[in-house]
Amino acid sequence: MPGRPSLAGRSLLPVLRPTSGMGGGGSALKVCADHRGGINWLSLSPDGQRLLTGSEDGTARLWSTADGQCCALLQGHESYVTFCQLEDEAAFTCSADCTIRKWDVLTGQCLQVFRGHTSIVNRILVANNQLFSSSYDRTARAWNVDKGQVSWEFRGHRNCVLTLAYLASWDLPGAPCMEEAMAGGLLVTGSTDGTAKVWQVASGCCHQTLRGHTGAVLCLVLDTPSHTAFTGSTDATIRAWDILSGEQLRVFREHQGSVICLELVNRHVYSGSADRTVKCWLADTGERVRTFAAHGHSVSALKYHAGTLFTGSGDARARAFDAQSGALRRVFRGHAFIINCIQVHGQVLYTASHDGTLRLWGVRGLPRSPPPRPGTPKRSLSRLFNNKVGCAAAAPLQPT
């Protein structure tokens, strides 16, 4: 709201108190129930001062991480909000109304409407002063953030485009023959047509098509130093690709259900699946290091933080695992439906659910294991794809 004092330099945690019992034992510090529909996504600002939620009720809300209070209500979309991204000075939302909106984080006013997609906008990504989007209209687009105009339209997928990732030009090889083509960086998209595509942002041309999956590509992450993309699919595999050459480097096979979410940390890939497990793999070899079980339904969200792996599940619970040993450390109970997204800041875990609530949980007291060393691990959609792929029937549990 206008005139709201700066939170800079203030401690963000002591004002929060458990709603019941001990917050360190898995009960919520605060329950935010202002939305009138399920929350589809949750974004944390780079400075850690605000949260942004996008909901089935067609609105987005800004929240203070200092006290969990709603700072602003963002109204204007004509259908449900599918995804959102929060920057320090602006908030971005996309919707089933085919538009993207940019908002002032202090006043809650809409600053820009991006029009052009002809179907549901699934994802957005703000990077390098550009806005990228993916849609059910089978396209991805690049926009001028300030003017709201389309810079490029990326056409080539044969079905809806779900997921996005971006690699900036300064992270790419500097060979003279590549400089012009790579000047705007590379955009990687994943689609229900079973492929991922790599696009030259400067020209709008398709640089590579990554073929190999036999099901929809639901998620992807990029490893910048090695120029490698990791894609997860409904075919139950993860695949690693060289995005410059298009070569498939390796296939990670052990899941018994769709791979819904991925996290890449310290040369380890964590994958959440409809088979009710998370698996940890060596990124460079594809070897499985360990399996995190105990979930009662699909794993819909992942977040690694300070040696702890946090998961959200279709069983309406969040969990904290020791990332190195795989031991279950804590279960967070309270949500009524699937947890669509999780974030961690300081000693607080934030979970957003299809039950319409944002919950804040204390994670103080969780053991902090050192991050795994690369190469020396301890052995051992309201609609189809709007984060609700995790609601698909889970496969029977398999031995690890």
Side-chain angles (χ1 to χ4, degrees):
M1 300 298 288
R4 184 172 294 276
S6 171
L7 300 176
R10 287 173 49 187
S11 172
L12 302 182
L13 302 176
V15 297
L16 298 172
R17 296 292 183 267
T19 55
S20 62
M22 294 295 292
S27 50
L29 298 170
K30 187 177 180 67
V31 180
C32 308
D34 299 41
H35 279 297
R36 296 186 178 182
I39 300 175
N40 290 326
W41 202 254
L42 168 65
S43 179
L44 178 68
S45 64
D47 63 12
Q49 294 185 7
R50 298 181 182 88
L51 292 161
L52 175 66
T53 52
S55 171
E56 292 280 320
D57 64 13
T59 72
R61 288 178 181 267
L62 283 163
W63 311 83
S64 167
T65 54
D67 55 14
Q69 294 299 309
C70 183
C71 306
L73 172 63
L74 313 183
Q75 299 183 92
H77 282 298
E78 297 177 1
S79 188
Y80 57 93
V81 177
T82 54
F83 193 82
C84 57
Q85 182 172 335
L86 182 55
E87 298 296 306
D88 286 337
E89 297 181 356
F92 296 84
T93 58
C94 61
S95 169
D97 67 7
C98 309
T99 71
I100 303 157
R101 288 177 179 256
K102 177 183 177 182
W103 311 83
D104 186 297
V105 297
L106 296 179
T107 66
Q109 293 181 337
C110 182
L111 302 174
Q112 189 71 254
V113 181
F114 302 79
R115 304 182 189 276
H117 280 297
T118 58
S119 189
I120 298 168
V121 184
N122 289 312
R123 291 287 184 272
I124 50 176
L125 172 63
V126 181
N128 195 23
N129 201 35
Q130 298 179 92
L131 170 65
F132 301 99
S133 59
S134 65
S135 171
Y136 269 70
D137 66 12
R138 305 183 182 185
T139 72
R141 298 179 189 227
W143 310 77
N144 182 297
V145 172
D146 298 321
K147 297 180 180 179
Q149 299 173 343
V150 175
S151 304
W152 288 107
E153 187 175 314
F154 305 98
R155 288 188 174 272
H157 281 297
R158 293 179 290 104
N159 214 322
C160 62
V161 186
L162 297 179
T163 186
L164 296 166
Y166 175 74
L167 194 63
S169 57
W170 50 82
D171 292 320
L172 293 166
C177 60
M178 301 280 281
E179 283 184 359
E180 185 175 350
M182 303 298 183
L186 294 175
L187 178 70
V188 186
T189 57
S191 168
T192 56
D193 66 11
T195 71
K197 286 181 178 287
V198 184
W199 309 87
Q200 297 173 5
V201 174
S203 66
C205 296
C206 182
H207 179 72
Q208 297 289 349
T209 297
L210 312 180
R211 293 186 174 91
H213 283 297
T214 57
V217 177
L218 303 182
C219 51
L220 69 88
V221 292
L222 291 183
D223 178 51
T224 298
S226 66
H227 313 117
T228 302
F230 297 88
T231 55
S233 169
T234 57
D235 67 10
T237 71
I238 303 146
R239 293 169 192 256
W241 314 83
D242 183 315
I243 63 172
L244 299 181
S245 68
E247 178 188 0
Q248 180 176 285
L249 303 175
R250 63 197 67 91
V251 183
F252 304 65
R253 307 178 190 272
E254 280 199 33
H255 277 301
Q256 304 298 312
S258 298
V259 178
I260 298 166
C261 46
L262 293 170
E263 182 95 331
L264 176 63
V265 182
N266 299 313
R267 311 304 307 152
H268 288 69
V269 176
Y270 296 88
S271 55
S273 172
D275 67 9
R276 309 182 190 183
T277 72
V278 175
K279 293 184 184 291
C280 176
W281 318 77
L282 294 182
D284 297 325
T285 66
E287 178 187 354
R288 179 181 59 80
V289 178
R290 64 189 59 85
T291 298
F292 304 81
H295 303 93
H297 209 288
S298 303
V299 179
S300 47
L302 290 174
K303 183 64 67 173
Y304 177 97
H305 179 76
T308 298
L309 181 69
F310 295 93
T311 66
S313 173
D315 65 11
R317 295 173 183 174
R319 291 172 173 83
F321 294 88
D322 184 288
Q324 195 163 10
S325 70
L328 178 63
R329 297 302 189 192
R330 193 168 298 171
V331 180
F332 304 89
R333 298 176 175 88
H335 283 296
F337 296 108
I338 182 174
I339 295 172
N340 286 327
C341 193
I342 55 181
Q343 294 286 350
V344 186
H345 177 60
Q347 295 295 311
V348 179
L349 168 69
Y350 304 90
T351 57
S353 168
H354 201 60
D355 65 11
T357 68
L358 167 67
R359 290 176 183 254
L360 286 63
W361 314 83
V363 297
R364 197 179 303 276
L366 285 173
R368 291 195 173 196
S369 301
R373 296 178 183 176
T376 58
K378 180 180 179 180
R379 303 293 179 182
S380 51
L381 291 84
S382 286
R383 320 297 193 216
L384 189 54
F385 291 102
N386 182 29
N387 296 314
K388 299 182 187 69
V389 60
C391 293
L397 290 174
Q398 301 292 327
T400 60

